[in-house]
Amino acid sequence: MATKTSDEQIIGYVKDTDLKHIAIIMDGNRRWAKERNLPSAFGHKKGVDALKKIMRACDDFGVKYLTVYAFSTENWNRKKEEVDFLMDLLGQTIKNELKEMHENGVVINFIGDLSKLSEKLQKILAHAVEVTKNNSGVHLQIAFNYGSRDEMVHAVKKIAESVKDSKLNIDDISEELISDNLYTSELPDPDLLIRTGGEMRVSNYLLWQIAYSEFYITKTLWPDFDKEALACAIEEFHNRQRRYGK
């Protein structure tokens, strides 16, 4: 596979394949730090730098939607010190980067059960969403306290309440209705799912939405994933034939 694909070629691939939405499982921050005998916090901070690079690359390549897995519902089981650090890192990153992202036209959203976060952090996230909601650049969705099964339970409960209140009939329940009740209701389904770090699993991420996504697994750890690496993933996507079961 070519490693020096030009930006013009990648932009052509995106237009040719109508690639709108890339979802990423950002895996490998802790392994990156461990390989360098550093605390995991260093890996997570480098992971933020990688995300900034990939956002800029998506803008350069014409990819409209980018959804990244930042903190899962299962991540609460990590050591308290690491969980507290990740919460603080998200808040500090949003506060520090909001002005630049807003100037670059980024639209920021969060998917997941944000009610479990501190009130302070919820306010920071809500402010970022409000400030950027009318922008027209890359739509960045950060999945935080997100789990796909949890999302589906949430959607089923909403639909069940509507049925209970006679606002819906059982026969009204469809794939479209379920999609409309997910956190991602305003988004097209991902065309491409990228997982860094080499693991061969989806880790409870966007299970409904990736039904027909193309998967791209790379051993590159997330802090080392850059524009060139994204170009390779898009080039691979361009060479696939999507059949949707046909």
Side-chain angles (χ1 to χ4, degrees), residues 4 21 33 55 68 78 89 100 128 146 174 196 202 215 217:
K4 293 185 179 180
H21 187 177
M55 275 197 300
V68 296
R78 293 184 179 182
L89 180 62
E100 181 179 350
Y146 174 88
S174 63
T196 62
V202 294
F215 287 16
I217 311 296

Side-chain angles (χ1 to χ4, degrees), residues 44-54 56 97 222-223:
H44 293 310
K45 288 179 179 178
K46 288 293 291 185
V48 171
D49 293 338
L51 177 56
K52 290 166 63 178
K53 292 176 184 177
I54 295 306
R56 287 194 290 267
E97 303 295 335
W222 175 246

Side-chain angles (χ1 to χ4, degrees), residues 7 25 35 40 43 51 53 64 67 72 100 104 120 162 174 184 208 219 234 246:
D7 284 9
I25 300 175
E35 287 178 0
S40 61
L51 177 56
K53 292 176 184 177
K64 193 67 174 177
T67 303
S72 75
E100 181 179 350
N104 290 332
K120 178 182 177 182
S162 294
S174 63
T184 55
W208 178 276
K219 291 183 178 179
I234 294 175
K246 297 177 183 178

Side-chain angles (χ1 to χ4, degrees), residues 93-152:
T93 298
I94 295 300
K95 287 196 293 185
N96 293 340
E97 303 295 335
L98 180 58
K99 184 176 184 293
E100 181 179 350
M101 287 195 288
H102 182 42
E103 289 174 349
N104 290 332
V106 177
V107 181
I108 303 172
N109 270 300
F110 300 89
I111 60 172
D113 185 2
L114 303 184
S115 69
K116 299 292 196 302
L117 308 182
S118 70
E119 184 176 344
K120 178 182 177 182
L121 183 53
Q122 288 184 55
K123 287 180 178 179
I124 293 171
L125 305 190
H127 176 67
V129 172
E130 180 64 25
V131 168
T132 64
K133 67 180 182 181
N134 294 320
N135 289 343
S136 58
V138 174
H139 288 241
L140 172 67
Q141 290 69 232
I142 300 175
F144 206 85
N145 194 31
Y146 174 88
S148 191
R149 289 183 174 182
D150 181 72
E151 176 185 32
M152 290 180 190

